[in-house]
Amino acid sequence: MKLVRFGDLGQEKPGLVDADGTIRDLSGIVDDIAGDVLTPAGLQRLRDIDPASLPAVGGNPRLGAPVGQVRKFFGIGLNYRDHAEETGLPIPEVPIVFVKATSCISGPNDAILAPADFKRMDYEVELGFVIGSPAKRVSVEDALDHVAGYCIGNDVSERSLQKGGPGEWVKAKSYDTFGPLGPWLVTADEIPDPQGLSLTTDLNGERMQTGNTSTMIFPVAELVSYISKYMTLLPGDVVVTGTPPGVGMARNPRVFLKPGDELVLRISGLGEQRTTIVAES
């Protein structure tokens, strides 16, 4: 299934995308794509519904992030060997886990805000996964059973704020709109191997990033297992899993985002994001 949330900011309704690409309104069935809806039982309930029995959504509604009520939002640093090498940093021995504020989550095509004092904004296409059933100290072998589905994430970062060390990453990556997710959440049964997906980023029509999740240092199963050693992961928690090479700060010359720039992010099987950088007034 492809699950979506559509409508005005803060008033999103739950939906699913049928085989013809039409959004079907789920608001008569569930309140949101969140919490228990993401558990195995909750997803099975949605699978049992005939999409044709649901109201079709007309027009071209705004898409919000495909999961609501996110309690924890994590990122993984330097999780592609070639990205770590391009930054000149050591290859991590264990996953580098950092927090992004949940208030930075935005829709896949929403504008990304550029504050006047942020001069080194950067893009990072990333595979995101959403937890479906509680995970506490799970094994690598069982870890994927706890994943509800996958989506595109853009770990937007203000690089100047990372100079203070790892503890500063939360500030660099948490400004409003710095966490676009979507367009939809593709349930895990449709992505049998999350380690075989291609990722790309285009900036103003020029290809900047090309990668494949097969080159992740710590694959999704290892990340679920590792993080669950230190805290219980709950339905709706989101993790974006690192970015392939080609980020702006590692290019020569460096390329940072500016108002008017247009980004297109794609991951095979997960759709695309199209966002514009807008100066914050």
Side-chain angles (χ1 to χ4, degrees):
M1 287 185 296
K2 293 182 175 67
L3 301 176
V4 297
R5 297 169 69 249
F6 63 94
D8 294 339
L9 181 64
Q11 301 179 37
E12 294 91 348
K13 294 181 179 181
L16 61 80
V17 181
D18 68 18
D20 296 325
T22 300
I23 296 175
R24 298 285 179 163
D25 190 344
L26 279 170
S27 59
I29 308 295
V30 296
D31 293 332
D32 201 354
I33 307 297
D36 289 346
V37 173
L38 295 163
T39 65
L43 293 177
Q44 187 58 51
R45 180 188 178 200
L46 299 184
R47 288 190 189 96
D48 291 340
I49 298 170
D50 178 4
S53 70
L54 300 169
V57 178
N60 187 28
R62 170 191 172 270
L63 296 181
V67 58
Q69 304 174 42
V70 177
R71 287 176 282 192
K72 295 194 286 292
F73 186 17
F74 294 117
I76 306 298
L78 303 176
N79 197 27
Y80 287 71
R81 181 174 299 273
D82 37 12
H83 172 55
E85 291 172 347
E86 74 174 351
T87 64
L89 296 171
I91 304 300
E93 296 182 4
V94 297
I96 298 173
V97 183
F98 60 89
V99 172
K100 286 176 74 77
T102 58
S103 56
C104 81
I105 294 173
S106 59
N109 305 316
D110 291 345
I112 295 173
L113 299 177
D117 56 340
F118 281 18
K119 303 298 186 184
R120 296 172 62 193
M121 287 174 55
D122 209 345
Y123 50 83
E124 295 188 19
V125 63
E126 310 208 358
L127 171 66
F129 67 81
V130 177
I131 294 295
S133 56
K136 180 177 182 179
R137 292 187 169 269
V138 300
S139 67
V140 173
E141 292 75 19
D142 295 335
L144 293 185
D145 293 339
H146 295 263
V147 175
Y150 302 91
C151 64
I152 301 174
N154 185 359
D155 180 21
V156 184
S157 308
E158 170 54 31
R159 298 300 188 188
S160 66
L161 296 176
Q162 290 181 270
K163 290 182 177 180
E168 299 300 288
W169 286 26
V170 65
K171 294 191 303 187
K173 295 169 175 286
S174 292
Y175 199 76
D176 293 353
T177 73
F178 275 27
L181 297 176
W184 40 65
L185 177 68
V186 179
T187 52
D189 58 299
E190 295 195 12
I191 307 292
D193 181 12
Q195 305 311 140
L197 306 178
S198 61
L199 311 86
T200 61
T201 298
D202 294 345
L203 174 61
N204 299 326
E206 180 181 353
R207 180 61 46 88
M208 308 298 279
Q209 289 186 278
T210 301
N212 192 285
T213 57
S214 63
T215 65
M216 287 167 58
I217 299 170
F218 306 104
V220 171
E222 289 189 28
L223 294 175
V224 174
S225 178
Y226 180 82
I227 298 171
S228 75
K229 292 179 181 178
Y230 303 100
M231 67 205 75
T232 301
L233 293 169
L234 299 170
D237 289 348
V238 177
V239 180
V240 288
T241 59
T243 198
V247 297
M249 72 169 181
R251 304 184 77 87
N252 185 17
R254 291 182 169 184
V255 176
F256 294 120
L257 299 173
K258 61 186 183 302
D261 282 347
E262 296 182 352
L263 283 170
V264 179
L265 281 62
R266 298 184 179 94
I267 298 181
S268 55
L270 301 181
E272 69 176 28
Q273 294 184 2
R274 289 182 175 269
T275 53
T276 301
I277 313 304
V278 176
E280 186 175 38
S281 57

